[in-house]
Amino acid sequence: MWRNILRSALYGALLIGLTVLGACGGGGSGSPTSMSPTPMSGTMPLAISDASSDNWATIGVKVLSIALVPQGGGSAVTVWSAPTPAPYVNLEQLDQLGEILGNVSVPIGTYTGAVLTIGANPGDLLLTVGADPESGFPVAAGTSIPSDAIQIQGRQSSSGNFTVPVNVTFDSPLTVTTSQNNALDLEFDLAHPAFIVGHAPPAATGAVLWAVNFDGPVRQHPVRDIARLVLRDTYGTVKSVASDGKSLTITKDFPVLPVTNPESAITSALSLQIFADATNGTILYDVDTGSRTVVKDFTGEAMSLPGKFVRIAARYQEDGTLVAVRVWASSEFNSVWLSPEGHVLHVDTTTDVITVTNESGRGVPVTVDANTEFFFRTPANAIADTTPIATGTAFLANHELVQGFKVHVSVVDPLATPLVAQTIDIETAAYSGRISGANATGFTYSHHFARATDDYTVTLDYISGATANGTDASGNPIMGFKWWDFAFPRLVTSGANAIPEFVAATNGGVDFGGTVGTLTASGVSDATWADPANPGGWSLRNVVLIPTPLPLGVVTRAFAGNSFAMTVLGGSILMPATVDVSTTAQSATRVYRIDRSNGAITLRPIDITTSSGLAAITAGLVAGTPVEVFGVPQAGSLKADVLVYFTGMLPRL
C-alpha cells in the first residue's frame, strides 16, 4: 500500500508468518510432505508477505532458506528450504498478503531469532520498474534493470554461491511445543531509503546503478488471528482428490520470472491439502469450458481435477487447515495465470475500463461490464468471502475502486481482446494521501497522481466502535478504530481515546517555505466493506501515519540535544525547520550514513541508542552536511523516522 508517497524508495515489509498450529497437509524443506512430523516436533504454516511501491512492478528475490536460532546457543535449525531450482518471490505482489510456502516441521524448544538466507548472485535479484513510477523516477516505466546494474550489499561466499544472511532477533522468545498454538510474524522493513538506492557515478557514464541493502531493521508485527490473514492466490497442480471428496491435494507451482509467453510453472515438492467449503460452498471455475459451479465437496471432480493446474483463493481456519473460497482450473498453466494480478493503476469511469499492473511492469486494460462481480477478501467471515459486494459498472463510481487497491482479476476469455472481467477480487483496499478535516466520525484523504483523472479526495468514516479490530500487544481485543506511527508499529493507539488523539496528532504541520511550503500528516489505511458505520461502502479500520519524504536538504544547525535544523531544495533558505531525533531504544530514529566514491556506494547503519552511534551522528550532522529525512510532520517540527546523511560524492538522485 504506501502508494506514490516515498520518493526513490520502496516502502515495504517482508512478513514471514511462522504459526504453530498443528495444520494438516504440506511441508517444507523442498521434500515430499506425506511424512508426518516426529512426536518431538510442531508444525508451522509458513508464509511470506510484503507491502509495495508504485515505482516497481517486480522486486524478485530468492529466499533460499529460513532457520530458527535456539535459545541458549547452538546451531540454527533450518525449518524451510527452497525447492530446486529456487523460484523468485515477487515482493511487489505481496501487498499485505501471505504467500503460502508450505507447512514445516519444527523441533520443540525455544527460539530467540531467525536467519533468512537470500540469493545474491547476479540474476538472483530482479528489478522491473512499474508501469507508472512517480514523477522524477530516473528509469522509464517497464524497464528491467540489468543484473550488472544491481549492487547487492553484504553478500558472502564465492562467485556462483553468493548469499546474504539476514539475522533477526525476536522481541520475545518463541516456544514450540507439539500442541501449543504460537504465532510469530517478522516484519523485514524494506521501508527506508537504504533498501534500494539509485546513483549515477561518473564511471558509469550516466547509467543508473542500484544498490540493494538487506541489512536493515527487522521487527515483529504479529498476525494474532490466522483466520484473518488474507492469502495471495496460490498456484499448483492437483495431485489427488481425497476418497471422501472433502479435500484436494496440490503440489505448489511458482510462475517463471521474468515472465515468459506463454507463462510456465516451476513445480515443487511442496504439498498443500485444501478443503472445500462444506457449509457455504466453493466456487469452481473451469477456465477451459467457461463454466462456473458451486461445490461443497470435490466428489464430482475426483476424475477431472487430478493433473490440472489450479489457482486457488483460500483462507485459513483457526485449526490451521486451508479452505478453498474459489478455484480456477485448466489443463494449461498459462490459462490460470494469465488473468492480471497487481495494483489498480487507472480507473476510467467513462469507458468502464480499469488498468491493472502485471509482473512485467505493464498496465493491462480490463473492461468491466454488467456481469462483472466484485469480491472483497474477508477470510474471517466465510459468507462474506464468497459473496460479491457488487456487480456491474456502477461500482467504479464514487471512488469505490481507486488507484492503489490490490486486485486479482479473472477474465471471461483469457485470449480475448479486450479482456472482460468475470470477477475482480479486491485483496487489499488501501486509501492513502494527505489527511485533513479529522473529526469524531472520520476524515478526508486527498491523493494526487501523475494522471489527474486518478486523483481523489474522499471522506471516509471510521469503523464502528463495536467492530472487532484485532488485538493489542498484550493480546487484548481491540474494538473500533486504531492508529499508529509507522516507525512504532507496536505502539497502537486504540480504545476510547483513539479518535480524539488521532485528531490531535494530525492537526499540526511544519513550514519549509518556498514551493515546499507547509507539510502536514499523511497516512495509509485499510478499508473494510459494509461495516455498520457504512453498510453500503468502505469504512477505515486504521490509519498508519507514514513518514513524509523531504527533498534533499542541508543541515543549518548542527545536531545537539536530539535535534537539528535543515533547509530543503525548493524551500526557503530563510526558513530552516527543526527535525526531532529519538534515541530511545526500540523506537529510535533509524540513521544511515551513505558514502559514495569511485562508482560505488556503501551503506552504514548507525545505532544512535549507543554512545558510539550518538557520537557518530553528532560528528556527521554538522552545518553543510547533505541530508535526507523521512518523518511525520508535527506542530512546528518533523519527527524523524529515517535519517540519511551523505559523505564523499554528493548524491545525484
Side-chain angles (χ1 to χ4, degrees), residues 205-295:
T205 63
V208 179
L209 303 181
W210 298 90
V212 180
N213 172 44
F214 287 100
D215 181 15
V218 180
R219 302 176 296 198
Q220 287 179 279
H221 189 255
V223 175
R224 304 184 187 279
D225 184 356
I226 197 171
R228 294 183 179 274
L229 180 63
V230 180
L231 299 174
R232 185 191 184 193
D233 290 1
T234 192
Y235 297 95
T237 303
V238 178
K239 289 173 57 179
S240 62
V241 173
S243 58
D244 59 7
K246 293 182 179 180
S247 67
L248 55 79
T249 299
I250 68 170
T251 52
K252 186 169 174 60
D253 296 331
F254 296 86
V256 172
L257 292 178
V259 173
T260 60
N261 185 20
E263 178 65 336
S264 56
I266 297 176
T267 60
S268 75
L270 301 172
S271 181
L272 291 170
Q273 183 183 21
I274 303 177
F275 287 81
D277 188 334
T279 302
N280 306 288
T282 294
I283 303 175
L284 178 62
Y285 302 92
D286 187 322
V287 179
D288 297 335
T289 65
S291 65
R292 175 191 187 275
T293 57
V294 179
V295 301

Side-chain angles (χ1 to χ4, degrees), residues 302-526:
M303 299 300 294
S304 60
L305 276 180
K308 284 193 173 181
F309 295 101
V310 290
R311 170 166 65 92
I312 301 178
R315 66 175 184 271
Y316 271 118
Q317 302 289 89
E318 292 289 355
D319 63 0
T321 57
L322 285 165
V323 171
V325 180
R326 285 178 289 284
V327 178
W328 292 263
S330 174
S331 57
E332 300 291 336
F333 179 79
N334 190 64
S335 294
V336 295
W337 180 84
L338 190 58
S339 294
E341 176 189 12
H343 291 92
V344 175
L345 186 63
H346 302 302
V347 177
D348 192 325
T349 57
T350 302
T351 61
D352 296 323
V353 172
I354 69 170
T355 304
V356 179
T357 56
N358 65 11
E359 300 201 44
S360 297
R362 184 172 63 91
V364 179
V366 181
T367 298
V368 174
D369 69 9
N371 298 314
T372 301
E373 294 182 320
F374 292 84
F375 293 84
F376 177 57
R377 292 304 314 276
T378 51
N381 185 328
I383 295 177
D385 211 19
T386 57
T387 304
I389 62 174
T391 301
T393 59
F395 188 75
L396 299 184
N398 302 319
H399 304 302
E400 303 286 17
L401 186 75
V402 300
Q403 183 177 143
F405 277 32
K406 174 67 166 55
V407 300
H408 202 150
V409 179
S410 293
V411 297
V412 175
D413 180 356
L415 301 180
T417 302
L419 295 175
V420 176
Q422 181 183 49
T423 65
I424 297 177
D425 274 15
I426 301 172
E427 296 171 319
T428 58
Y431 286 96
S432 61
R434 297 292 181 188
I435 294 169
S436 63
N439 57 35
T441 59
F443 64 92
T444 298
Y445 266 133
S446 298
H447 205 145
H448 299 285
F449 298 94
R451 179 169 158 173
T453 54
D454 290 310
D455 293 352
Y456 62 80
T457 297
V458 57
T459 299
L460 298 161
D461 291 336
Y462 313 115
I463 58 172
S464 166
T467 299
N469 199 14
T471 58
D472 62 19
S474 300
N476 301 313
I478 292 175
M479 305 300 291
F481 175 75
K482 62 185 178 183
W483 67 278
W484 62 95
D485 188 322
F486 182 84
F488 314 114
R490 292 180 296 275
L491 302 180
V492 176
T493 302
S494 59
N497 293 325
I499 292 175
E501 290 185 16
F502 172 76
V503 172
T506 57
N507 278 338
V510 56
D511 189 1
F512 283 91
T515 58
V516 175
T518 300
L519 301 179
T520 56
S522 295
V524 62
S525 295
D526 288 324

Side-chain angles (χ1 to χ4, degrees), residues 117 135 190 246 308 468 624:
T117 302
S135 177
L190 309 179
K246 293 182 179 180
K308 284 193 173 181

